[in-house]
Amino acid sequence: MSKPSTKAKIIDIADQLFYEFGYEHTSFASIAGEVGISRGNFYHHFKSKDEILSAVIDRRLMNTQQLLDDWHDEGKTAEGRIKCFINILITNRAKIKLFGCPVGSLTNELVKLEHSSLPGANKIFILFKDWLAKQFLALGHVKDAEKLALHLLARSQGIATIASAFHDEAFLYQEAETLNQWLSSYA
Amino acid sequence: MSKPSTKAKIIDIADQLFYEFGYEHTSFASIAGEVGISRGNFYHHFKSKDEILSAVIDRRLMNTQQLLDDWHDEGKTAEGRIKCFINILITNRAKIKLFGCPVGSLTNELVKLEHSSLPGANKIFILFKDWLAKQFLALGHVKDAEKLALHLLARSQGIATIASAFHDEAFLYQEAETLNQWLSSYA
DNA sequence: GTCTATATAATGATAGAC
DNA sequence: GTCTATCATTATATAGAC
Protein backbone atom coordinates (compact mmCIF):
# COMPACT_ATOMS: atom_id res chain seq x y z
CA MET A 1 0.00 0.00 0.00
CA SER A 2 1.37 3.37 -1.01
CA LYS A 3 0.75 6.18 1.44
CA PRO A 4 -2.49 8.03 0.77
CA SER A 5 -2.29 11.28 -1.16
CA THR A 6 -3.36 14.53 0.47
CA LYS A 7 -6.40 14.60 -1.78
CA ALA A 8 -7.41 11.11 -0.64
CA LYS A 9 -6.87 12.13 2.98
CA ILE A 10 -9.11 15.17 2.55
CA ILE A 11 -11.90 13.04 1.11
CA ASP A 12 -11.51 10.48 3.86
CA ILE A 13 -11.65 13.04 6.67
CA ALA A 14 -14.45 15.02 5.01
CA ASP A 15 -16.43 11.80 4.69
CA GLN A 16 -16.19 11.21 8.43
CA LEU A 17 -16.87 14.80 9.44
CA PHE A 18 -19.85 15.18 7.10
CA TYR A 19 -21.27 12.06 8.71
CA GLU A 20 -20.65 13.10 12.30
CA PHE A 21 -21.38 16.81 12.14
CA GLY A 22 -23.25 17.32 8.90
CA TYR A 23 -22.14 18.89 5.63
CA GLU A 24 -22.90 22.52 6.35
CA HIS A 25 -21.67 22.44 9.92
CA THR A 26 -18.31 21.04 8.81
CA SER A 27 -15.96 23.89 7.97
CA PHE A 28 -12.83 23.89 5.84
CA ALA A 29 -10.95 24.83 8.98
CA SER A 30 -12.03 21.67 10.76
CA ILE A 31 -11.24 19.43 7.78
CA ALA A 32 -7.86 21.08 7.31
CA GLY A 33 -7.17 20.74 11.01
CA GLU A 34 -7.90 17.02 11.00
CA VAL A 35 -5.93 16.37 7.82
CA GLY A 36 -3.04 18.45 9.09
CA ILE A 37 -2.78 20.93 6.25
CA SER A 38 -3.48 24.64 5.93
CA ARG A 39 -6.73 26.00 4.61
CA GLY A 40 -5.01 27.51 1.61
CA ASN A 41 -3.60 24.19 0.45
CA PHE A 42 -7.14 23.02 0.24
CA TYR A 43 -8.03 24.83 -2.90
CA HIS A 44 -5.18 23.25 -4.75
CA HIS A 45 -7.11 19.97 -4.56
CA PHE A 46 -10.72 21.17 -4.69
CA LYS A 47 -12.22 24.28 -6.19
CA SER A 48 -15.09 24.50 -3.71
CA LYS A 49 -16.79 22.83 -0.79
CA ASP A 50 -19.40 21.42 -3.14
CA GLU A 51 -16.63 19.69 -5.05
CA ILE A 52 -15.49 17.95 -1.87
CA LEU A 53 -19.05 16.79 -1.23
CA SER A 54 -19.13 15.41 -4.76
CA ALA A 55 -15.91 13.50 -4.13
CA VAL A 56 -17.22 12.18 -0.81
CA ILE A 57 -20.40 10.95 -2.47
CA ASP A 58 -18.36 9.25 -5.22
CA ARG A 59 -16.27 7.57 -2.56
CA ARG A 60 -19.37 6.40 -0.72
CA LEU A 61 -20.80 5.06 -3.96
CA MET A 62 -17.66 3.01 -4.54
CA ASN A 63 -17.57 1.73 -0.98
CA THR A 64 -21.24 0.80 -1.14
CA GLN A 65 -20.75 -1.13 -4.37
CA GLN A 66 -17.82 -2.93 -2.78
CA LEU A 67 -19.95 -3.78 0.25
CA LEU A 68 -22.71 -5.19 -1.93
CA ASP A 69 -20.17 -7.26 -3.88
CA ASP A 70 -18.80 -8.64 -0.62
CA TRP A 71 -22.28 -9.55 0.57
CA HIS A 72 -22.89 -11.31 -2.69
CA ASP A 73 -19.92 -13.57 -1.99
CA GLU A 74 -20.79 -14.04 1.70
CA GLY A 75 -24.46 -14.89 1.46
CA LYS A 76 -25.17 -18.29 -0.03
CA THR A 77 -28.88 -17.64 -0.56
CA ALA A 78 -30.87 -14.55 -1.52
CA GLU A 79 -32.41 -14.55 1.96
CA GLY A 80 -28.96 -14.71 3.53
CA ARG A 81 -27.83 -11.77 1.44
CA ILE A 82 -30.80 -9.65 2.49
CA LYS A 83 -29.95 -10.56 6.07
CA CYS A 84 -26.52 -9.06 5.46
CA PHE A 85 -28.27 -5.79 4.68
CA ILE A 86 -30.43 -5.93 7.80
CA ASN A 87 -27.36 -6.74 9.83
CA ILE A 88 -25.70 -3.37 9.09
CA LEU A 89 -27.94 -2.02 11.82
CA ILE A 90 -26.07 -4.26 14.24
CA THR A 91 -22.60 -4.06 12.74
CA ASN A 92 -22.67 -0.26 12.65
CA ARG A 93 -24.74 0.16 15.81
CA ALA A 94 -22.17 2.27 17.65
CA LYS A 95 -22.09 4.92 14.95
CA ILE A 96 -25.75 4.72 13.98
CA LYS A 97 -26.69 5.30 17.59
CA LEU A 98 -24.64 8.49 17.60
CA PHE A 99 -25.04 9.84 14.06
CA GLY A 100 -27.83 7.94 12.34
CA CYS A 101 -27.48 6.49 8.84
CA PRO A 102 -24.78 8.19 6.72
CA VAL A 103 -26.97 8.10 3.62
CA GLY A 104 -30.27 9.08 5.20
CA SER A 105 -28.84 11.90 7.27
CA LEU A 106 -26.99 13.32 4.29
CA THR A 107 -30.01 13.26 1.99
CA ASN A 108 -32.04 14.76 4.82
CA GLU A 109 -29.67 17.71 4.90
CA LEU A 110 -29.31 18.09 1.14
CA VAL A 111 -33.10 18.09 0.72
CA LYS A 112 -33.36 21.17 2.90
CA LEU A 113 -30.43 22.89 1.25
CA GLU A 114 -31.96 22.13 -2.14
CA HIS A 115 -28.44 21.04 -2.94
CA SER A 116 -27.44 19.98 -6.42
CA SER A 117 -25.75 16.87 -5.02
CA LEU A 118 -28.99 15.35 -3.73
CA PRO A 119 -29.40 13.16 -6.82
CA GLY A 120 -25.83 11.94 -6.33
CA ALA A 121 -26.51 11.03 -2.72
CA ASN A 122 -29.71 9.31 -3.77
CA LYS A 123 -27.66 7.07 -6.04
CA ILE A 124 -26.38 5.34 -2.91
CA PHE A 125 -29.97 4.57 -1.95
CA ILE A 126 -30.56 3.31 -5.47
CA LEU A 127 -27.55 1.00 -5.31
CA PHE A 128 -29.02 -0.63 -2.20
CA LYS A 129 -32.52 -0.69 -3.65
CA ASP A 130 -31.53 -2.33 -6.93
CA TRP A 131 -29.36 -4.87 -5.14
CA LEU A 132 -32.17 -5.72 -2.71
CA ALA A 133 -34.69 -5.92 -5.54
CA LYS A 134 -32.45 -8.46 -7.24
CA GLN A 135 -32.50 -10.60 -4.11
CA PHE A 136 -36.28 -10.39 -3.75
CA LEU A 137 -36.56 -11.32 -7.40
CA ALA A 138 -34.43 -14.39 -6.74
CA LEU A 139 -36.88 -15.24 -3.95
CA GLY A 140 -39.65 -15.35 -6.52
CA HIS A 141 -41.24 -11.95 -5.89
CA VAL A 142 -41.26 -11.04 -9.54
CA LYS A 143 -43.91 -8.34 -9.35
CA ASP A 144 -43.11 -6.88 -5.92
CA ALA A 145 -39.31 -6.95 -5.92
CA GLU A 146 -38.89 -3.18 -6.31
CA LYS A 147 -41.60 -2.42 -3.80
CA LEU A 148 -40.18 -4.80 -1.19
CA ALA A 149 -36.69 -3.41 -1.70
CA LEU A 150 -37.76 0.19 -1.17
CA HIS A 151 -39.92 -0.86 1.76
CA LEU A 152 -36.96 -2.48 3.48
CA LEU A 153 -34.80 0.53 2.74
CA ALA A 154 -37.38 2.81 4.35
CA ARG A 155 -37.70 0.53 7.37
CA SER A 156 -33.96 0.63 7.98
CA GLN A 157 -33.98 4.40 7.63
CA GLY A 158 -36.68 4.87 10.23
CA ILE A 159 -34.89 2.57 12.64
CA ALA A 160 -31.69 4.59 12.29
CA THR A 161 -33.56 7.86 12.80
CA ILE A 162 -35.19 6.76 16.06
CA ALA A 163 -32.06 5.03 17.33
CA SER A 164 -29.96 8.15 16.82
CA ALA A 165 -32.54 10.55 18.23
CA PHE A 166 -32.65 8.58 21.48
CA HIS A 167 -29.11 7.21 21.30
CA ASP A 168 -30.74 3.84 21.77
CA GLU A 169 -28.68 0.82 20.77
CA ALA A 170 -31.17 -1.70 22.14
CA PHE A 171 -33.74 -0.43 19.65
CA LEU A 172 -31.41 -1.39 16.81
CA TYR A 173 -31.24 -4.98 18.06
CA GLN A 174 -34.98 -5.12 18.62
CA GLU A 175 -35.89 -3.80 15.19
CA ALA A 176 -33.26 -5.83 13.34
CA GLU A 177 -34.94 -8.89 14.81
CA THR A 178 -38.35 -7.60 13.70
CA LEU A 179 -36.97 -7.09 10.19
CA ASN A 180 -35.58 -10.63 10.08
CA GLN A 181 -38.99 -11.96 11.09
CA TRP A 182 -40.59 -9.88 8.37
CA LEU A 183 -38.07 -11.21 5.87
CA SER A 184 -38.73 -14.84 6.77
CA SER A 185 -42.37 -14.37 5.74
CA TYR A 186 -41.14 -13.46 2.26
CA ALA A 187 -38.40 -16.08 1.92
CA MET B 1 -58.79 36.73 17.55
CA SER B 2 -56.36 39.44 18.55
CA LYS B 3 -53.60 40.12 16.06
CA PRO B 4 -50.50 38.02 16.71
CA SER B 5 -47.65 39.64 18.62
CA THR B 6 -44.27 40.12 16.97
CA LYS B 7 -42.86 37.42 19.20
CA ALA B 8 -45.56 34.97 18.10
CA LYS B 9 -44.90 35.90 14.49
CA ILE B 10 -41.18 35.22 14.88
CA ILE B 11 -41.87 31.78 16.35
CA ASP B 12 -44.35 30.99 13.59
CA ILE B 13 -41.99 31.99 10.78
CA ALA B 14 -38.98 30.35 12.43
CA ASP B 15 -40.99 27.14 12.77
CA GLN B 16 -41.64 27.10 9.01
CA LEU B 17 -38.11 28.07 8.00
CA PHE B 18 -36.45 25.56 10.34
CA TYR B 19 -38.62 22.91 8.73
CA GLU B 20 -37.98 23.93 5.15
CA PHE B 21 -34.32 24.91 5.29
CA GLY B 22 -33.03 23.43 8.54
CA TYR B 23 -32.11 25.12 11.78
CA GLU B 24 -28.50 26.02 11.07
CA HIS B 25 -29.13 27.10 7.51
CA THR B 26 -31.87 29.52 8.62
CA SER B 27 -30.36 32.89 9.47
CA PHE B 28 -31.75 35.69 11.59
CA ALA B 29 -31.74 37.80 8.48
CA SER B 30 -34.09 35.43 6.68
CA ILE B 31 -36.45 35.17 9.63
CA ALA B 32 -36.46 38.92 10.11
CA GLY B 33 -37.07 39.39 6.41
CA GLU B 34 -40.09 37.09 6.42
CA VAL B 35 -41.52 38.59 9.59
CA GLY B 36 -40.95 42.10 8.31
CA ILE B 37 -38.83 43.42 11.15
CA SER B 38 -35.21 44.45 11.45
CA ARG B 39 -32.54 42.12 12.78
CA GLY B 40 -31.91 44.36 15.76
CA ASN B 41 -35.51 44.16 16.92
CA PHE B 42 -34.97 40.45 17.15
CA TYR B 43 -32.94 40.45 20.28
CA HIS B 44 -35.59 42.34 22.12
CA HIS B 45 -37.70 39.17 21.97
CA PHE B 46 -35.05 36.44 22.10
CA LYS B 47 -31.60 36.43 23.60
CA SER B 48 -30.15 33.95 21.12
CA LYS B 49 -30.89 31.68 18.20
CA ASP B 50 -31.01 28.72 20.55
CA GLU B 51 -33.78 30.45 22.46
CA ILE B 52 -35.86 30.70 19.30
CA LEU B 53 -35.33 27.00 18.68
CA SER B 54 -36.54 26.33 22.20
CA ALA B 55 -39.66 28.38 21.59
CA VAL B 56 -40.28 26.61 18.26
CA ILE B 57 -40.00 23.22 19.93
CA ASP B 58 -42.40 24.32 22.68
CA ARG B 59 -44.83 25.45 20.02
CA ARG B 60 -44.54 22.15 18.20
CA LEU B 61 -45.11 20.28 21.43
CA MET B 62 -48.33 22.21 22.03
CA ASN B 63 -49.52 21.72 18.46
CA THR B 64 -48.75 18.02 18.63
CA GLN B 65 -50.68 17.63 21.87
CA GLN B 66 -53.59 19.47 20.27
CA LEU B 67 -53.43 17.17 17.25
CA LEU B 68 -53.50 14.08 19.44
CA ASP B 69 -56.45 15.46 21.38
CA ASP B 70 -58.29 16.09 18.11
CA TRP B 71 -57.59 12.55 16.95
CA HIS B 72 -58.92 11.24 20.20
CA ASP B 73 -62.24 12.92 19.50
CA GLU B 74 -62.28 11.93 15.82
CA GLY B 75 -61.45 8.24 16.06
CA LYS B 76 -64.18 6.14 17.56
CA THR B 77 -61.97 3.08 18.10
CA ALA B 78 -58.32 2.65 19.05
CA GLU B 79 -57.66 1.26 15.58
CA GLY B 80 -59.32 4.29 14.01
CA ARG B 81 -57.16 6.58 16.10
CA ILE B 82 -53.96 4.84 15.03
CA LYS B 83 -55.15 5.21 11.46
CA CYS B 84 -55.30 8.96 12.06
CA PHE B 85 -51.60 8.81 12.83
CA ILE B 86 -50.78 6.80 9.73
CA ASN B 87 -52.86 9.20 7.69
CA ILE B 88 -50.55 12.16 8.43
CA LEU B 89 -48.36 10.74 5.69
CA ILE B 90 -51.20 11.45 3.27
CA THR B 91 -52.54 14.65 4.78
CA ASN B 92 -49.10 16.25 4.85
CA ARG B 93 -47.82 14.57 1.70
CA ALA B 94 -47.04 17.78 -0.17
CA LYS B 95 -44.68 19.05 2.53
CA ILE B 96 -43.26 15.65 3.50
CA LYS B 97 -42.34 15.06 -0.11
CA LEU B 98 -40.36 18.29 -0.13
CA PHE B 99 -38.96 18.54 3.40
CA GLY B 100 -39.46 15.20 5.14
CA CYS B 101 -40.90 14.89 8.63
CA PRO B 102 -40.56 18.05 10.74
CA VAL B 103 -39.69 16.06 13.85
CA GLY B 104 -37.37 13.53 12.28
CA SER B 105 -35.46 16.02 10.19
CA LEU B 106 -34.99 18.33 13.17
CA THR B 107 -33.70 15.59 15.47
CA ASN B 108 -31.48 14.42 12.63
CA GLU B 109 -29.87 17.83 12.54
CA LEU B 110 -29.68 18.33 16.31
CA VAL B 111 -28.02 14.93 16.73
CA LYS B 112 -25.15 16.04 14.53
CA LEU B 113 -24.87 19.43 16.17
CA GLU B 114 -24.87 17.74 19.58
CA HIS B 115 -27.38 20.42 20.37
CA SER B 116 -28.79 20.87 23.86
CA SER B 117 -32.32 21.02 22.46
CA LEU B 118 -32.26 17.44 21.18
CA PRO B 119 -34.05 16.11 24.29
CA GLY B 120 -36.70 18.78 23.80
CA ALA B 121 -37.24 17.78 20.18
CA ASN B 122 -37.39 14.14 21.26
CA LYS B 123 -40.28 15.01 23.53
CA ILE B 124 -42.41 15.40 20.40
CA PHE B 125 -41.53 11.84 19.44
CA ILE B 126 -42.40 10.75 22.97
CA LEU B 127 -45.80 12.45 22.80
CA PHE B 128 -46.63 10.41 19.71
CA LYS B 129 -45.13 7.24 21.16
CA ASP B 130 -47.04 7.42 24.44
CA TRP B 131 -50.29 8.24 22.66
CA LEU B 132 -49.81 5.35 20.22
CA ALA B 133 -48.89 3.00 23.06
CA LYS B 134 -52.14 3.90 24.77
CA GLN B 135 -54.07 2.92 21.65
CA PHE B 136 -52.23 -0.39 21.29
CA LEU B 137 -52.92 -1.03 24.94
CA ALA B 138 -56.61 -0.48 24.28
CA LEU B 139 -56.32 -3.04 21.50
CA GLY B 140 -55.19 -5.60 24.07
CA HIS B 141 -51.44 -5.53 23.44
CA VAL B 142 -50.60 -5.13 27.08
CA LYS B 143 -47.02 -6.33 26.88
CA ASP B 144 -46.08 -4.99 23.45
CA ALA B 145 -47.80 -1.60 23.44
CA GLU B 146 -44.60 0.42 23.83
CA LYS B 147 -42.72 -1.68 21.32
CA LEU B 148 -45.49 -1.46 18.72
CA ALA B 149 -45.76 2.29 19.21
CA LEU B 150 -42.06 2.91 18.69
CA HIS B 151 -42.06 0.50 15.76
CA LEU B 152 -44.82 2.44 14.04
CA LEU B 153 -43.05 5.71 14.77
CA ALA B 154 -39.88 4.39 13.15
CA ARG B 155 -41.80 3.10 10.14
CA SER B 156 -43.35 6.50 9.52
CA GLN B 157 -39.94 8.14 9.87
CA GLY B 158 -38.35 5.90 7.28
CA ILE B 159 -41.19 6.50 4.87
CA ALA B 160 -40.78 10.27 5.21
CA THR B 161 -37.03 10.00 4.68
CA ILE B 162 -37.31 8.06 1.44
CA ALA B 163 -40.25 10.11 0.16
CA SER B 164 -38.35 13.37 0.66
CA ALA B 165 -35.06 12.09 -0.74
CA PHE B 166 -36.79 11.11 -4.00
CA HIS B 167 -39.57 13.71 -3.81
CA ASP B 168 -41.88 10.76 -4.27
CA GLU B 169 -45.50 11.30 -3.26
CA ALA B 170 -46.67 7.95 -4.62
CA PHE B 171 -44.40 6.20 -2.14
CA LEU B 172 -46.29 7.89 0.70
CA TYR B 173 -49.59 6.46 -0.53
CA GLN B 174 -48.08 3.03 -1.10
CA GLU B 175 -46.49 2.79 2.34
CA ALA B 176 -49.46 4.28 4.19
CA GLU B 177 -51.47 1.43 2.71
CA THR B 178 -48.83 -1.08 3.84
CA LEU B 179 -48.97 0.40 7.34
CA ASN B 180 -52.75 0.10 7.45
CA GLN B 181 -52.47 -3.55 6.47
CA TRP B 182 -49.88 -4.08 9.17
CA LEU B 183 -52.18 -2.39 11.68
CA SER B 184 -55.15 -4.58 10.78
CA SER B 185 -53.13 -7.63 11.82
CA TYR B 186 -52.86 -6.13 15.30
CA ALA B 187 -56.40 -4.81 15.62
C1' DG C 1 -41.04 48.15 20.81
C1' DT C 2 -38.62 49.23 16.72
C1' DC C 3 -34.99 51.09 14.29
C1' DT C 4 -29.89 52.05 12.50
C1' DA C 5 -25.27 51.36 13.17
C1' DT C 6 -21.77 48.55 14.61
C1' DA C 7 -18.83 44.91 16.94
C1' DT C 8 -16.86 40.46 16.46
C1' DA C 9 -16.02 36.08 14.78
C1' DA C 10 -16.27 32.67 11.33
C1' DT C 11 -17.04 31.29 6.76
C1' DG C 12 -15.71 30.09 1.81
C1' DA C 13 -12.42 31.55 -1.34
C1' DT C 14 -8.05 33.88 -3.67
C1' DA C 15 -3.17 35.53 -4.52
C1' DG C 16 1.26 34.88 -4.46
C1' DA C 17 5.79 33.46 -2.11
C1' DC C 18 8.51 29.32 -1.36
C1' DG D 1 2.40 20.88 -3.45
C1' DT D 2 2.31 23.57 0.62
C1' DC D 3 2.41 27.65 2.98
C1' DT D 4 1.04 32.64 4.81
C1' DA D 5 -1.57 36.54 4.18
C1' DT D 6 -5.65 38.44 2.82
C1' DC D 7 -10.42 39.36 0.81
C1' DA D 8 -15.33 39.52 0.71
C1' DT D 9 -19.26 37.89 2.80
C1' DT D 10 -22.13 36.34 6.20
C1' DA D 11 -23.27 35.10 10.76
C1' DT D 12 -24.70 35.98 15.59
C1' DA D 13 -24.97 39.47 18.70
C1' DT D 14 -24.78 44.38 20.99
C1' DA D 15 -25.40 49.54 21.77
C1' DG D 16 -27.90 53.23 21.69
C1' DA D 17 -31.17 56.64 19.32
C1' DC D 18 -36.10 57.32 18.60
Side-chain angles (χ1 to χ4, degrees), chain A residues 19 24-25 112 122 155 165, chain B residues 19 24-25 112 122 155 165:
Chain A
Y19 177 33
E24 201 168 32
H25 190 63
K112 287 182 196 293
N122 280 343
R155 292 272 289 266
Chain B
Y19 177 34
E24 200 167 32
H25 190 62
K112 287 183 195 293
N122 280 344
R155 293 272 289 266

Side-chain angles (χ1 to χ4, degrees), chain B residues 91-108:
Chain B
T91 311
N92 296 347
R93 63 187 182 279
K95 290 214 155 186
I96 292 174
K97 168 182 125 177
L98 289 173
F99 313 113
C101 168
V103 194
S105 58
L106 179 62
T107 58
N108 199 306

Side-chain angles (χ1 to χ4, degrees), chain A residues 8-63:
Chain A
K9 266 195 236 171
I10 291 173
I11 298 172
D12 181 50
I13 295 289
D15 191 352
Q16 294 175 47
L17 294 180
F18 289 172
Y19 177 33
E20 298 183 8
F21 305 108
Y23 169 66
E24 201 168 32
H25 190 63
T26 300
S27 65
F28 275 23
S30 65
I31 301 176
E34 284 284 321
V35 175
I37 58 169
S38 70
R39 277 192 318 233
N41 189 357
F42 231 115
Y43 292 84
H44 176 74
H45 302 285
F46 298 95
K47 268 178 279 189
S48 68
K49 196 180 178 186
D50 286 356
E51 214 170 76
I52 298 177
L53 176 60
S54 244
V56 165
I57 289 173
D58 284 345
R59 181 195 144 102
R60 290 191 185 181
L61 275 167
M62 285 212 318
N63 289 346

Side-chain angles (χ1 to χ4, degrees), chain B residues 31-162:
Chain B
I31 301 175
E34 284 285 323
V35 175
I37 58 169
S38 71
R39 271 178 321 194
N41 189 356
F42 230 115
Y43 292 83
H44 176 75
H45 301 285
F46 298 95
K47 267 179 279 190
S48 69
K49 196 180 178 185
D50 286 357
E51 215 170 76
I52 299 177
L53 177 59
S54 244
V56 166
I57 289 172
D58 284 345
R59 180 195 146 103
R60 290 191 185 182
L61 274 166
M62 285 211 316
N63 288 346
T64 301
Q65 188 58 58
Q66 184 60 57
L67 190 70
L68 295 175
D69 291 345
D70 290 348
W71 287 347
H72 196 83
D73 298 336
E74 273 179 49
K76 308 290 183 237
T77 64
E79 185 186 3
R81 288 194 277 270
I82 297 174
K83 278 188 180 176
C84 286
F85 173 80
I86 295 172
N87 205 47
I88 328 177
L89 293 171
I90 307 302
T91 311
N92 296 347
R93 63 187 182 279
K95 290 214 155 186
I96 292 174
K97 168 182 125 177
L98 289 173
F99 313 113
C101 168
V103 194
S105 58
L106 179 62
T107 58
N108 199 306
E109 186 177 0
L110 298 184
V111 155
K112 287 183 195 293
L113 302 179
E114 298 179 274
H115 198 285
S116 59
S117 278
L118 175 60
N122 280 344
K123 277 189 199 167
I124 310 176
F125 271 147
I126 292 171
L127 273 187
F128 279 115
K129 189 207 67 182
D130 288 346
W131 185 88
L132 286 170
K134 203 150 76 175
Q135 313 311 320
F136 281 112
L137 201 64
L139 286 174
H141 299 279
V142 181
K143 205 182 164 191
D144 286 341
E146 279 275 324
K147 184 177 168 178
L148 289 169
L150 209 53
H151 174 86
L152 178 51
L153 206 58
R155 293 272 289 266
S156 69
Q157 282 304 306
I159 294 162
T161 295
I162 295 294

